[in-house]
Amino acid sequence: MHPMLNIAVRAARNAGEIISRSADNVGKLQINRKGINDFATEVDRMAEQEIIKIIKTAFPDHAILAEESGEHKGNDFVWIIDPLDGTTNFLHGFPVYAVSIALQVKGKLELGVVYDPLRDELFTAERGGGAMMNNRRIRVTNQAGLKGALIGTGFPFKSQQHLDAYLGMFRTIHADSAGIRRAGAAALDLAYVAIGRLDGFWEIGLHPWDMAAGILLIKEAGGVATDFAFQDNYMETGNIIAGNPKMHQVMYKAIEPHVTEALTRLKAK
């Protein structure tokens, strides 16, 4: 395993331990509201601090982009961190949440880790080295169409101006698929596409820390990820379609008629 991946795995597992220890005391946690339907707890912050401490001890010159503490300046190595993806689920005892850590070097995703502490499932990917779950190689499905497909999604609860467009996409995909699942943790949804538990996924308004590790997992598992303009600007637009190559094409064709001009714009820096 790549030495930097070893560090990411250790950081993810340590953060997962912090989350697991706190799961039975949710009612005593301090909760901050960051925005509409957007919450953070002291667990998010403690888990993030642990991840950053481990990374900075090993690589003090590396940069960091983290959900809670923002941007930490450094060199061309950028660690992209979501210490607890699925905070709302965690607060309600809904058992779907994960730690997500990715490494981007000069704009290219090099490493990705998604760790589910509840199931002790560790998803890892190295660019050019494939994707694994608990040291077992994983692949996307061979599903070729929406009929019989299980698709993941996320509601645009932070981007409600896009709700009408999203509902159009939902209706089109729902009409032909076997079902749509909205579990509330995009990092895990993307990991589930990589391992074949979902045939595809789409969402509006994600942040880089929500999807960076999951995107690399999917690509290294043989899948495809693009934004709604069929480009690789998902980190800048926040919008993503992902699946195996055939499913991605099918989903893009279903989604494209509902894409507004606003959904193809890059976010302001």
Side-chain angles (χ1 to χ4, degrees):
M1 188 182 289
H2 194 291
M4 292 185 186
L5 186 55
N6 274 329
I7 293 296
V9 167
R10 180 153 63 91
R13 286 194 178 277
N14 283 16
E17 288 179 11
I18 291 170
I19 293 165
S20 295
R21 287 199 305 266
S22 304
D24 292 332
N25 297 299
V26 168
K28 298 179 182 178
L29 295 178
Q30 293 180 353
I31 302 169
N32 295 332
R33 182 169 179 163
K34 299 189 293 183
I36 298 174
N37 298 321
D38 192 6
F39 304 95
T41 70
E42 56 195 292
V43 175
D44 295 70
R45 291 186 288 275
M46 287 189 297
E48 183 172 293
Q49 288 166 6
E50 177 67 11
I51 294 167
I52 292 172
K53 182 183 75 173
I54 290 171
I55 291 171
K56 281 293 192 178
T57 299
F59 310 110
D61 295 330
H62 287 196
I64 286 173
L65 176 63
E67 179 175 13
E68 304 307 328
S69 58
E71 190 174 353
H72 304 238
K73 296 291 186 180
N75 59 21
D76 290 333
F77 290 73
V78 183
W79 293 88
I80 304 173
I81 300 165
D82 191 337
L84 177 51
D85 186 42
T87 299
T88 300
N89 287 349
F90 174 76
L91 288 172
H92 288 79
F94 190 83
V96 181
Y97 43 85
V99 181
S100 178
I101 303 172
L103 175 63
Q104 189 177 56
V105 183
K106 295 182 178 179
K108 289 186 177 180
L109 291 169
E110 296 288 339
L111 303 174
V113 173
V114 173
Y115 179 54
D116 178 349
L118 286 167
R119 296 166 186 82
D120 194 26
E121 291 185 339
L122 179 72
F123 298 85
T124 59
E126 299 178 60
R127 187 164 71 92
M132 314 280 282
M133 194 279 280
N134 289 355
N135 297 316
R136 176 174 62 86
R137 191 169 293 276
I138 58 176
R139 296 287 294 179
V140 293
T141 68
N142 294 318
Q143 181 73 24
L146 284 173
K147 187 175 181 180
L150 185 64
I151 306 297
T153 190
F155 303 145
F157 62 94
K158 298 178 190 174
S159 307
Q160 298 196 21
Q161 69 273 25
H162 301 306
L163 185 58
D164 288 343
Y166 173 82
L167 290 174
M169 300 170 191
F170 188 98
R171 288 188 193 98
T172 302
I173 291 175
H174 178 265
D176 293 326
S177 69
I180 296 176
R181 300 290 181 264
R182 196 280 186 183
L188 268 183
D189 289 329
L190 294 169
Y192 284 6
V193 173
I195 202 173
R197 294 172 184 170
L198 292 171
D199 295 298
F201 176 82
W202 93 100
E203 188 163 353
I204 291 170
L206 291 172
H207 295 287
W209 47 78
D210 298 316
M211 61 177 130
I215 285 169
L216 188 62
L217 282 167
I218 288 170
K219 290 185 174 183
E220 290 300 323
V224 175
T226 70
D227 60 14
F228 292 168
F230 214 75
Q231 304 297 318
D232 62 357
N233 294 320
Y234 30 74
M235 302 277 271
E236 290 78 23
T237 64
N239 308 320
I240 186 171
I241 306 170
N244 71 57
K246 290 182 180 178
M247 178 57 64
H248 178 274
Q249 288 275 352
V250 169
M251 290 182 65
Y252 175 78
K253 289 178 181 178
I255 286 169
E256 196 274 335
H258 306 287
V259 174
T260 62
E261 182 183 351
L263 284 172
T264 61
R265 292 192 203 116
L266 302 185
K267 290 180 179 178
K269 294 289 185 181

